[in-house]
Structures are given as structure tokens and as C-alpha cells.
Amino acid sequence: MNLKDKLTLVISSCEGYSDLWNNHVDLLNENWPDRSIDTVIVTDKIHEAKFSNVRVFPAGDSLEMPQRLYEFARTCETKYLLITLDDYYLDRPVDVNKINRAIKLMERLHLDYLRFWPYPHERKKIKGVKKAFWIDLNGNYKVNLYPAIWKRTFLKNTVKSNLSAWEYEVSLTNLAKTLNARCAYSINDEFHIVDIIRKGKLLHPAKRFLDSKGMSLDRELIERKQEWKLSLMYYGKEIIPKPILRQIKNMFIKRGHKFISEDI
């Protein structure tokens, strides 16, 4: 069976982020020009944008992001979905052999989810597989919305209620644990991205990347102080002892910052 019969590439988005689509598709076509799989932007409203090899699926403007993905998954026929977000831009060529390896790994190990992002780190290697690790489902954000291949049935089972995108991502790891999902991640450079937007604003490394590609976005640059804070809270979990990280978090809370997750 060909890859196109097994896998669909899904770009999750909404009308408010449609300004990201042209660059996203251009970089996708540049870095994966020979892809044969169906590629779909799942959004809320009907949009007139036309792409020769990417179609737009308007799921309904009354639906939140998780419910839009669910509606698409109901209509899709492939067993697996490679899900990415509109503000994750490909910056390296995609080797289809690595994508095929990922699908074979999911089939052999009966995986429900295979993340292509290294954070949070895990240390339990998958025996006999290079650069692949089992995900321990104790904690938060172990199953997240960074690029990953999902079994379509697993994705549908994670959408339980009318959660926002942020609430949904926080709930995913616990849901995966409840569903006895088999989850792993690979760092074989299958789908390498640049994170472009945070809190609706353009990140500084993303601005440099876009400049290098002769691209632009009409978005406000995030303040460096806010960018540093977000990076600290995300990547700090990997290197800073939890008691110290908790003190830093409490300092931000006293200054009025709100956190959805109680992970630290």
C-alpha cells in the first residue's frame, strides 16, 4: 500500500491565522515537493484561498480547534494523520523514507501517537530503533500539538468536550493515559520546524528565518522579555530543578501571569 493510502497531512488553522498560509504552503512545497499524500488545511470558515496541492477544509466557524480536527477525522479515510499547526514552518527537506519508517514503526508497535518533537524528553529508548523513545504518560504535555503522526481513531477519542485549543492540549496526556494509548517520539529529523508565532506575535528567531527566506508576516514582534519568559517556562522544565522552577513560576503568578497547567 502506498503512503498516500495510509497518511494525510493536516495543517490545523483558523481564519484569524490565514495570513500564515501562503508562507506555510510555499515552505512545505519547497521542502517536500514530491509528497504524494493528501494535504489539508483544517480551518473554521470558508476561505477563497486556492493552492494547487493543498485543499482547505472549513469545519465550521462555531467549532473550536479540537472539534474541527474531529470533524475532519470523521471524513478522512487514511488510518494516520500527520498533524501540524499553521505557525510551524518547515525549514529542512523532508525525507519520505523517514516518514515511511515512522509509519512502519507505528504499525509494528501499534502506536497511537508518534511525536516529531524532542520535548518533553524521555529516556526509555525503544529497543532496536534508533532515535526513538517511549513516552511516559505521567505528567503534562507529554502528548502535545507539536508535529506528530496520530492514529485517526485515537485523535477522535481524545476530543471529549468543547475545549479550547489550550485546554485540549493540557488534557491530552491524561486522556492518552486513560485510553491506554501507546505513545512515543522520534528525533530522526522527520519533520523539522521553526516555531513562528507565540501569543499571536512573531518570535525573533522566526523573524530572522523569514528574512533569510525573503518572506514576511504583518505581525507585531513579541517583546524580548515576554519571549524569554515563555522560553524559560517551556525549556526550563528540561534543565532547571523543579523546586527552583516552581519559585520562578510563583514569581510570575504574583505579577499577574496566569498558567493553564499546574505541571510545575
Side-chain angles (χ1 to χ4, degrees), residues 39-50:
T39 305
V40 186
I41 297 174
V42 175
T43 185
D44 46 3
K45 300 179 180 180
I46 295 174
H47 194 93
E48 294 183 357
K50 302 291 184 183

Side-chain angles (χ1 to χ4, degrees), residues 51-106:
F51 303 104
S52 61
N53 54 356
V54 177
R55 61 188 177 95
V56 178
F57 180 90
D61 58 8
S62 65
L63 300 178
E64 292 282 349
M65 183 272 271
Q67 290 73 44
R68 295 196 295 268
L69 287 174
Y70 179 88
E71 286 302 309
F72 175 74
R74 286 199 313 116
T75 71
C76 182
E77 296 183 354
T78 59
K79 184 176 181 179
Y80 299 105
L81 306 175
L82 198 175
I83 298 178
T84 187
L85 302 186
D86 45 24
D87 60 335
Y88 295 157
Y89 284 4
L90 269 176
D91 67 333
R92 296 181 189 174
V94 173
D95 183 346
V96 72
N97 291 321
K98 293 183 178 181
I99 302 296
N100 277 313
R101 175 223 195 212
I103 292 293
K104 290 177 181 177
L105 183 64
M106 294 193 74

Side-chain angles (χ1 to χ4, degrees), residues 4 6 99 117 128 132 148 176 178 199 203:
K4 68 178 181 179
K6 297 182 179 182
I99 302 296
W117 186 252
T178 301
K199 304 292 186 181
L203 294 165

Side-chain angles (χ1 to χ4, degrees), residues 224-235:
R224 290 192 181 275
K225 182 178 180 181
Q226 185 182 23
E227 186 175 62
W228 175 85
K229 178 178 69 175
L230 292 169
S231 295
L232 175 65
M233 299 313 297
Y234 185 78
Y235 295 106

Side-chain angles (χ1 to χ4, degrees), residues 41 56 87 98 100 107 121 123 125 160 166 169 178 197 200 210 225 230-231 234-235 243 249 263-264:
I41 297 174
V56 178
D87 60 335
K98 293 183 178 181
N100 277 313
E107 292 175 332
H121 280 303
R123 293 178 173 83
K125 294 183 178 180
K160 296 294 184 181
W166 311 112
E169 188 167 32
T178 301
I197 300 291
L210 290 172
K225 182 178 180 181
L230 292 169
S231 295
Y234 185 78
Y235 295 106
K249 180 177 179 179
D263 194 23
I264 57 171

Side-chain angles (χ1 to χ4, degrees), residues 46-243:
I46 295 174
H47 194 93
E48 294 183 357
K50 302 291 184 183
F51 303 104
S52 61
N53 54 356
V54 177
R55 61 188 177 95
V56 178
F57 180 90
D61 58 8
S62 65
L63 300 178
E64 292 282 349
M65 183 272 271
Q67 290 73 44
R68 295 196 295 268
L69 287 174
Y70 179 88
E71 286 302 309
F72 175 74
R74 286 199 313 116
T75 71
C76 182
E77 296 183 354
T78 59
K79 184 176 181 179
Y80 299 105
L81 306 175
L82 198 175
I83 298 178
T84 187
L85 302 186
D86 45 24
D87 60 335
Y88 295 157
Y89 284 4
L90 269 176
D91 67 333
R92 296 181 189 174
V94 173
D95 183 346
V96 72
N97 291 321
K98 293 183 178 181
I99 302 296
N100 277 313
R101 175 223 195 212
I103 292 293
K104 290 177 181 177
L105 183 64
M106 294 193 74
E107 292 175 332
R108 180 164 65 85
L109 299 178
H110 305 288
L111 297 180
D112 297 287
Y113 169 90
L114 181 64
R115 176 173 19 106
F116 294 149
W117 186 252
Y119 303 110
H121 280 303
E122 301 287 349
R123 293 178 173 83
K124 187 178 179 181
K125 294 183 178 180
I126 296 178
K127 188 176 180 180
V129 183
K130 293 182 178 179
K131 300 182 178 180
F133 302 80
W134 291 107
I135 293 177
D136 179 355
L137 295 175
N138 293 305
N140 289 326
Y141 292 109
K142 301 295 188 74
V143 177
N144 56 43
L145 292 174
Y146 276 94
I149 296 180
W150 299 61
K151 185 181 288 186
R152 181 169 55 89
T153 52
F154 172 59
L155 172 70
K156 290 168 62 178
N157 288 335
T158 63
V159 183
K160 296 294 184 181
S161 59
N162 193 32
L163 298 176
S164 70
W166 311 112
E167 293 167 330
Y168 176 64
E169 188 167 32
V170 171
S171 74
L172 278 173
T173 304
N174 189 54
L175 276 171
K177 186 175 182 179
T178 301
L179 293 167
N180 294 314
R182 293 172 64 83
C183 302
Y185 77 90
S186 173
I187 52 173
N188 197 33
D189 223 15
E190 292 93 343
F191 201 85
H192 197 277
I193 60 161
V194 172
D195 198 348
I196 299 294
I197 300 291
R198 197 70 55 84
K199 304 292 186 181
K201 298 180 180 180
L202 185 64
L203 294 165
H204 286 86
K207 175 67 165 56
R208 293 192 295 271
F209 170 72
L210 290 172
D211 288 345
S212 74
K213 305 297 291 187
M215 295 176 169
S216 63
L217 278 175
D218 187 18
R219 292 268 180 160
E220 180 183 353
L221 265 175
I222 195 169
E223 293 183 4
R224 290 192 181 275
K225 182 178 180 181
Q226 185 182 23
E227 186 175 62
W228 175 85
K229 178 178 69 175
L230 292 169
S231 295
L232 175 65
M233 299 313 297
Y234 185 78
Y235 295 106
K237 296 177 186 179
E238 301 295 318
I239 57 175
I240 301 175
K242 280 196 172 182

